[in-house]
C-alpha cells in the first residue's frame, strides 16, 4: 500500500520539499500529506473527518501523534482539503464520509502507519546530522534522542534542515494486541470543546459573506409531486423579497434577510403535481402492508443471513414461538438546522461553499454536477456540525444543492437556512418497520431454529442510489441487525423485504439495528420467559464461546444488581454486537398504570469497542447514545397521512427533556482488539431493555416503538383483561 496516494510522501507535496533541503516559510516542513512540522515545534496534523460532537477532530490526529511520538501540547489540528485518494476513509471506500461509527476503525491502521513513518524520517535526519547509526536514536514526546551521547533535537529543530524522501520509508507498526501507546487510551481534552464553551466556534450558519442574500424554499409536501403552478404575486410584494425561483421540487424565494425570505415563501400559492409515488400512503396503511409481507410465506425476500436448516428445525420443534414487532418512522432531530452558503462565479464555472456536512466528497460532487463543472472548480470550506446523526450525509446533499441553485439563479452568494418545520416536513426518516420472528424450541427450552423477516421502506435506493446499484439492492442500512451476530444459533435464517413507498428515508443514528435489534432482543426475552429462564442467564448460554459478549453482560448485571429486585420497578436487559463492538444495557423502569407513562430511573451499560482512543469520549458518546435511544423508545414518532408528514416541530415531535434522562452508569472495558465504533452503538439497546423491563414489572409485552403512553395504557388494559 506504500504506493497508494495517501501512503506516499511525494504526493501533493510541494516539489521543493521532495529534493533535499526543506526550508519552507517559517521553517516549516511538510513531512507528508498529514503532518507539517514548524520551526517553533508546532506539529500540524490534518483531520479528514467531520466533527459533529462525536470527537473525531481530536481522535484521528491523536492516532498520528501517538505513533510519531509528538508532544500533544504542541499539536495543532487542521481540516484537510477534499481529496478522496489522499484523505478518504479506507473503511468507506476511500470517501470522506463520516457516518456509521466507522471513522476511527476505518482510519486507525493507516494513521498509525503515517505517524510511524514521520517518526522514522525525523530519527533518520537526526542520525545523519549526528553521524550515528539510526538504531541508536529514539524519541520522547517531540524530541529525538541519542542516549549514548546525551544529544537531543526537537522536532522543530529538525524541521529547519530535514530532508524528506519522495517515497515513504518501510515501517512495521506494532500489532494492536502488543502495542504500547502514549496518547491513545489517555483522557486528553477534546480540541473542539473550548470554542463551544466560550461561543467562539463558528458554524456555517454563523458565516457572513460580502454581498450575500438569503434563500428559503417551499418544498413539495410529498416526494416527487413536482410543481404544477405558481402564483407568486403576494410573495414578490413582501418587503425585502428579491426573486422567486421555480425549482424541480419546489419554489425558492430570495431576499435581503432571512425573515423576508420566510415571509415571502409563506405568501406563495403553489399547485402541486399529483404523480408522487407516496401520495395516498399512510402510516397505518404502511404497517398493515408490511405486516402482510412479513406473514406471507410466498413473499419474495432478500436472503440476509443463513446457517444450517432453520426451516427443518422449526418444523420439527417441540414448540414454536412467534411474535411481530413494529417501529415507526423517526426523525434525526439534530440541533443545528440545515444550512449552506454558496457563491457561484458570474460565469457559473466555479463555486465556493461554506457548510457542515458528513461527507465532503458528496457535497463537492453535488455542487459540481449541479453546475456541470469539474470538481476541481469547487472550493469547499468545512465547518463543525451542530449534530448530524445521518441527516447531513445523504447522497443528494439537498440543503447544499439549495444554496448552489439559488446562487446560480441570482448571481450572488446565497445562504439557505432550513427552519425546524422545513426539516421535519421534508426530513429523511428512519424507515417504518415490521419484524416477524419465529423460533423453534426443543423439549429443554433451547433454541433449535430461528427465522427473522424484516420488512421496511427502501433506504439506499432513495438516499444513495449509486451505492444501492453497486451492492445490487442489498440494503445494509435498512437490513442491518437482521443477521444474528455472536449468538450461537446453529440453524437460522434472516430475510429482508424492501418496499418502495415513496417516502424519504435515510440512515439514522443506530441505522437498521434501532428496529431490527429491538425485535431480536425483545424476542430473546420472550424465549427466555417461555423457557422459564432468567433473561441474563439465557443470553449467556447463547454466548458460551463469546467471552467479550459475556463480559459486558455480566459486568452490566453486576453494576445493576440484577438479582436485587426493587418494589414497583422492573429491570430489563439487552445486548448487541454492533459491527464488532459489544454493548449490554439494563434499564430500571416504573409504569404509571393510570396514564401508561414509562419512567426510566436508571440505565446501566458496559461497552467494549476494543482499543478506545479516547476513553472518556467513548463514555460520553455512550451516554449520548442512551439519551438518543430513549427518545426513539418512548416518544419520537413521525406519522404520515396522504404521503405528507403530520408533525411540525418539537411541540409535536417529542425529544427527551432533561427531566426524562435517567441516571446513567457507564463502564468501558478496554481490550487489545482493533478499535470499533462507539458513536451510536448503545442506541439500539435502549428500546429493547425498556420493553423487557416493562414485562418484568407488569407481565405485559410492548412490541412497538415508540412505547407511547397511550399505547402502553392500551396494552396494560388488554393484559389485565387476559389475566382476569
Amino acid at each position: 500500500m506504500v504506493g497508494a496516494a495517501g501512503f506516499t510522501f511525494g504526493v501533493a507535496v510541494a516539489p521543493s520539499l521532495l529534493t533535499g533541503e526543506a526550508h519552507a516559510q517559517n521553517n516549516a516542513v511538510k513531512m507528508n500529506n498529514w503532518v507539517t512540522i514548524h520551526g517553533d515545534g508546532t506539529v500540524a496534523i490534518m483531520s479528514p473527518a467531520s466533527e459533529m460532537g462525536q470527537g473525531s477532530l481530536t481522535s484521528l490526529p491523536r492516532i498520528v501523534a501517538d505513533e510519531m511520538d509528538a508532544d500533544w501540547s504542541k499539536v495543532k489540528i487542521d481540516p484537510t482539503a477534499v481529496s478522496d485518494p489522499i484523505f478518504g476513509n479506507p473503511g468507506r471506500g476511500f470517501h470522506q464520509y463520516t457516518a456509521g461509527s466507522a471513522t476511527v476503525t476505518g482510519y486507525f491502521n493507516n494513521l498509525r502507519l503515517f505517524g510511524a513513518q514521520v517518526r522514522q524520517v525525523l530519527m533518520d535526519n537526526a542520525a545523519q546530522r549526528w553521524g550515528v547509526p539510526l538504531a541508536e536514536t529514539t524519541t520522547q514526546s517531540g524530541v529525538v534522542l541519542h542516549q549514548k551521547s546525551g544529544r537531543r533535537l526537537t522536532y522543530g529543530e529538525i524541521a529547519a534542515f530535514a530532508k524528506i524522501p519522495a517515497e515513504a520509508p518501510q515501517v512495521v507498526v506494532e500489532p494492536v494486541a502488543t502495542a504500547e501507546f502514549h496518547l491513545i487510551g489517555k483522557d486528553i481534552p477534546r480540541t473542539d470543546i473550548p470554542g463551544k464553551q466560550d461561543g467562539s466556534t463558528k458554524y456555517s450558519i454563523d458565516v457572513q459573506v460580502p454581498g450575500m442574500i438569503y434563500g428559503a424554499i417551499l418544498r413539495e409536501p410529498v416526494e416527487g409531486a413536482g410543481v404544477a403552478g405558481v402564483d407568486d404575486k403576494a410573495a414578490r410584494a413582501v418587503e425585502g423579497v428579491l426573486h422567486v425561483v421555480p425549482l424541480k421540487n419546489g419554489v425558492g424565494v430570495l431576499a435581503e434577510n432571512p425573515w423576508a425570505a420566510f415571509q415571502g415563501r409563506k405568501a406563495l400559492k403553489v399547485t402541486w403535481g399529483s404523480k408522487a409515488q407516496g401520495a395516498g400512503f399512510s402510516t397505518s396503511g404502511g404497517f398493515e402492508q408490511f405486516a402482510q409481507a412479513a406473514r406471507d410465506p410466498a413473499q419474495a425476500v432478500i436472503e440476509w443471513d443463513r446457517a444450517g436448516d432453520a426451516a427443518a428445525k422449526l418444523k420439527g420443534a417441540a414448540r414454536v414461538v412467534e411474535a411481530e414487532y413494529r417501529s415507526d418512522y423517526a426523525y434525526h432531530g439534530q440541533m443545528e438546522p440545515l444550512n449552506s452558503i454558496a457563491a457561484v462565479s458570474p460565469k457559473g464555472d466555479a463555486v465556493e461553499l461554506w457548510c457542515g456536512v458528513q461527507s465532503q466528497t458528496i457535497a463537492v460532487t453535488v455542487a459540481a454536477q449541479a453546475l456541470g463543472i469539474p470538481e476541481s472548480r469547487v472550493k469547499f470550506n468545512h465547518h463543525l456540525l451542530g449534530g448530524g446523526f445521518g441527516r447531513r450525509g445523504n447522497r443528494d446533499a439537498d440543503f447544499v444543492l439549495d444554496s448552489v441553485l439559488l446562487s446560480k439563479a441570482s448571481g450572488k452568494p446565497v445562504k439557505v437556512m432550513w427552519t425546524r418545520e422545513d426539516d421535519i416536513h421534508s426530513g429523511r426518516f428512519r424507515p417504518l418497520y415490521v419484524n416477524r420472528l419465529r423460533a423453534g424450541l426443543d423439549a429443554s427450552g433451547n433454541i433449535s431454529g430461528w427465522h427473522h423477516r424484516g420488512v421496511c421502506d427502501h433506504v439506499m435506493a432513495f438516499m444513495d442510489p449509486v451505492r444501492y446499484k453497486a451492492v445490487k439492492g442489498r440494503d445494509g442500512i435498512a437490513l442491518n441487525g437482521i443477521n444474528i451476530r455472536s449468538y450461537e444459533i446453529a440453524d437460522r435464517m434472516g430475510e429482508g423485504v424492501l418496499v418502495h413507498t415513496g417516502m424519504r428515508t435515510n440512515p439514522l443514528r443506530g441505522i437498521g439495528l434501532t428496529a431490527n435489534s429491538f425485535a431480536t432482543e425483545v424476542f430473546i426475552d420472550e424465549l427466555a420467559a417461555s423457557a422459564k429462564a432468567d433473561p441474563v442467564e439465557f443470553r449467556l448460554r447463547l454466548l458460551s464461546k463469546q467471552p467479550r459478549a459475556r463480559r459486558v453482560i455480566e459486568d452490566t448485571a453486576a453494576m445493576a444488581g440484577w438479582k436485587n429486585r426493587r418494589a414497583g420497578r422492573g429491570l430489563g436487559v439487552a445486548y448487541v454486537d454492533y459491527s464488532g463492538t459489544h454493548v449490554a444495557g439494563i434499564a430500571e423502569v416504573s409504569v404509571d398504570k393510570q396514564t401508561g407513562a414509562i419512567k426510566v430511573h436508571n440505565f446501566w451499560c458496559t461497552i467494549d469497542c476494543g482499543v478506545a482512543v479516547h476513553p472518556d469520549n467513548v463514555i460520553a458518546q455512550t451516554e449520548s447514545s442512551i439519551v438518543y435511544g430513549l427518545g426513539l423508545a418512548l416518544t419520537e414518532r413521525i406519522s404520515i397521512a396522504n404521503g405528507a408528514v403530520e408533525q411540525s416541530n418539537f411541540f409535536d415531535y417529542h425529544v427527551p427533556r432533561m427531566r426524562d434522562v435517567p441516571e446513567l452508569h457507564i463502564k468501558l472495558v478496554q481490550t487489545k482488539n482493533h478499535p470499533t465504533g462507539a458513536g451510536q452503538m448503545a442506541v439500539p439497546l435502549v428500546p429493547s431493555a425498556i420493553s423487557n423491563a416493562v414485562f418484568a414489572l407488569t407481565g405485559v409485552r410492548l412490541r412497538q416503538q415508540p412505547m407511547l403512553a397511550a399505547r402502553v395504557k392500551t396494552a396494560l388494559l388488554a393484559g389485565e383483561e387476559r389475566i382476569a
Side-chain angles (χ1 to χ4, degrees):
M1 297 182 76
V2 173
F7 299 78
T8 306
F9 274 39
V11 174
V13 180
S16 62
L17 303 185
L18 302 178
T19 56
E21 296 296 323
H23 298 291
Q25 292 182 353
N26 301 320
N27 289 325
V29 57
K30 189 170 184 177
M31 303 296 295
N32 62 9
N33 292 317
W34 295 83
V35 177
T36 298
I37 300 178
H38 296 261
D40 63 359
T42 300
V43 178
I45 302 178
M46 308 299 282
S47 185
S50 299
E51 176 58 66
M52 47 191 148
Q54 85 285 22
S56 295
L57 184 68
T58 306
S59 297
L60 295 185
R62 184 180 302 185
I63 298 167
V64 179
D66 192 295
E67 287 294 339
M68 66 175 286
D69 203 3
D71 179 350
W72 184 255
S73 68
K74 296 183 178 180
V75 169
K76 174 180 176 288
I77 300 173
D78 291 327
T80 67
V82 182
S83 175
D84 286 352
I86 298 174
F87 299 117
N89 185 342
R92 299 202 67 89
F94 280 95
H95 290 162
Q96 285 181 258
Y97 192 178
T98 307
S101 295
T103 301
V104 168
T105 189
Y107 280 105
F108 187 74
N109 287 339
N110 297 350
L111 295 186
R112 288 189 68 204
L113 175 62
F114 299 152
Q117 289 170 338
V118 169
R119 177 175 178 268
Q120 179 90 353
V121 170
L122 289 165
M123 291 193 301
D124 187 60
N125 274 275
Q128 291 183 41
R129 173 59 62 101
W130 291 328
V132 301
L134 175 65
E136 291 184 3
T137 65
T138 188
T139 61
Q140 185 178 42
S141 191
V143 177
V144 177
L145 303 172
H146 184 243
Q147 293 178 333
K148 285 187 176 181
S149 64
R151 283 177 289 184
R152 64 197 307 273
L153 283 169
T154 67
Y155 289 178
E157 290 170 334
I158 296 172
F161 62 82
K163 294 181 179 180
I164 310 302
E167 291 294 325
Q170 297 289 335
V171 176
V172 177
V173 178
E174 188 78 11
V176 170
T178 55
E180 293 295 328
F181 298 114
H182 308 288
L183 296 172
I184 292 171
K186 305 296 190 298
D187 284 327
I188 299 171
R190 270 176 40 178
T191 306
D192 58 312
I193 297 301
K196 292 176 178 178
Q197 289 177 319
D198 64 21
S200 61
T201 295
K202 180 177 286 189
Y203 295 85
S204 59
I205 203 168
D206 302 317
V207 173
Q208 299 292 319
V209 175
M212 183 180 77
I213 59 176
Y214 294 83
I217 296 177
L218 181 64
R219 283 177 168 74
E220 54 194 358
V222 183
E223 185 73 20
V227 179
V230 181
D231 179 352
D232 61 7
K233 183 178 179 180
R236 292 179 182 277
V238 173
E239 184 179 356
V241 168
L242 302 171
H243 307 286
V244 175
V245 183
L247 299 169
K248 179 182 178 182
N249 300 320
V251 181
V253 176
L254 289 160
E256 296 172 351
N257 58 71
W259 317 117
F262 295 148
Q263 289 300 313
R265 179 180 61 180
K266 186 177 180 181
L268 286 170
K269 297 178 181 178
V270 179
T271 303
W272 302 105
S274 58
K275 296 182 180 180
Q277 180 184 346
F281 180 85
S282 69
T283 299
S284 58
F287 274 132
E288 293 313 307
Q289 177 189 358
F290 290 8
Q292 289 177 18
R295 299 164 191 162
D296 183 1
Q299 173 70 48
V301 299
I302 298 170
E303 186 176 291
W304 197 253
D305 180 38
R306 178 183 288 274
D309 191 343
K313 291 300 177 71
L314 282 163
K315 187 175 180 180
R319 187 157 43 97
V320 174
V321 178
E322 58 185 77
E324 185 177 285
Y325 305 88
R326 300 184 175 194
S327 298
D328 280 89
Y329 290 110
Y331 160 66
H332 296 82
Q334 73 285 343
M335 184 60 68
E336 180 194 12
L338 299 174
N339 65 92
S340 174
I341 300 173
V344 177
S345 66
K347 294 182 179 180
D349 60 351
V351 62
E352 185 167 2
L353 300 174
W354 294 261
C355 53
V357 294
Q358 289 182 242
S359 176
Q360 301 96 305
T361 300
I362 290 175
V364 168
T365 299
V366 164
Q369 290 177 346
L371 298 173
I373 61 175
E375 293 181 8
S376 61
R377 299 289 290 166
V378 180
K379 182 180 179 181
F380 185 79
N381 302 286
H382 201 197
H383 290 264
L384 271 63
L385 288 66
F389 310 127
R391 180 59 182 92
R392 284 180 156 98
N394 51 300
R395 175 68 66 172
D396 64 1
D398 46 356
F399 61 100
V400 179
L401 182 62
D402 288 349
S403 61
V404 173
L405 294 178
L406 292 181
S407 178
K408 180 183 178 182
S410 65
K412 296 182 178 181
V414 174
K415 176 187 282 189
V416 172
M417 296 187 294
W418 289 39
T419 64
R420 185 64 60 186
E421 289 80 4
D422 291 336
D423 199 27
I424 292 180
H425 289 157
S426 300
R428 278 99 167 100
F429 307 118
R430 181 193 65 186
L432 199 75
Y433 278 88
V434 172
N435 283 274
R436 184 170 184 262
L437 287 92
R438 301 168 63 234
L441 301 178
D442 63 21
S444 300
N446 299 311
I447 300 173
S448 58
W450 176 280
H451 179 206
H452 184 168
R453 180 180 290 182
V455 185
C456 67
D457 309 77
H458 281 270
V459 178
M460 289 175 63
F462 175 77
M463 63 80 58
D464 195 345
V466 175
R467 185 172 160 198
Y468 180 74
K469 184 178 179 180
V471 299
K472 299 179 180 179
R474 289 183 61 80
D475 193 333
I477 293 172
L479 302 181
N480 192 13
I482 288 177
N483 50 316
I484 295 288
R485 294 180 60 103
S486 294
Y487 284 132
E488 297 151 21
I489 301 174
D491 297 276
R492 63 183 189 272
M493 179 167 52
E495 302 169 338
V497 178
L498 301 173
V499 183
H500 283 291
T501 61
M503 294 299 102
R504 297 177 294 263
T505 54
N506 217 55
L508 178 142
R509 191 179 191 180
I511 315 180
L513 275 86
T514 61
N516 297 326
S517 178
F518 167 68
T520 298
E521 281 299 297
V522 177
F523 191 56
I524 287 284
D525 239 56
E526 299 207 38
L527 296 179
S530 180
K532 295 182 172 53
D534 178 87
V536 166
E537 295 300 325
F538 190 79
R539 285 172 171 78
L540 292 176
R541 288 207 305 267
L542 292 171
L543 297 164
S544 63
K545 300 175 184 177
Q546 303 291 335
R548 294 175 68 190
R550 290 179 62 89
R551 179 172 179 185
V552 296
I553 293 174
E554 290 170 340
D555 286 5
T556 305
M559 282 197 299
W562 174 257
K563 297 292 186 180
N564 304 324
R565 299 305 160 132
R566 293 83 160 164
R569 304 278 179 90
L571 296 181
V573 63
Y575 159 77
V576 175
D577 175 352
Y578 193 156
S579 300
T581 294
H582 298 269
V583 200
I586 291 177
E588 180 186 43
V589 309
S590 62
V591 180
D592 185 330
K593 293 186 178 181
Q594 298 299 315
T595 64
I598 297 171
K599 172 68 176 177
V600 183
H601 300 274
N602 285 280
F603 200 97
W604 296 269
C605 181
T606 304
I607 180 170
D608 172 0
C609 56
V611 172
V613 173
H614 189 169
D616 185 61
N617 196 54
V618 171
I619 291 172
Q621 285 301 296
T622 303
E623 292 172 338
S624 170
S625 293
I626 292 167
V627 174
Y628 202 89
L630 188 71
L632 298 179
L634 298 180
T635 58
E636 296 187 35
R637 173 181 182 254
I638 289 291
S639 57
I640 305 295
N642 196 26
V645 176
E646 293 187 300
Q647 286 71 30
S648 295
N649 208 313
F650 289 139
F651 73 88
D652 56 2
Y653 185 87
H654 300 288
V655 298
R657 306 293 181 177
M658 292 181 69
R659 63 178 177 269
D660 303 318
V661 178
E663 291 291 326
L664 301 176
H665 315 270
I666 314 299
K667 180 176 182 179
L668 170 63
V669 175
Q670 284 266 35
T671 56
K672 285 282 190 173
N673 293 282
H674 182 87
T676 47
Q680 59 190 10
M681 278 43 192
V683 174
L685 292 174
V686 183
S688 312
I690 292 173
S691 176
N692 294 338
V694 171
F695 174 77
L697 178 63
T698 68
V700 172
R701 285 287 177 196
L702 302 178
R703 299 189 180 97
Q704 181 169 354
Q705 61 168 325
M707 292 164 264
L708 303 172
R711 289 175 175 172
V712 176
K713 184 175 181 179
T714 298
L716 291 174
L717 290 173
E720 289 175 358
E721 289 171 5
R722 286 199 302 272
I723 293 170

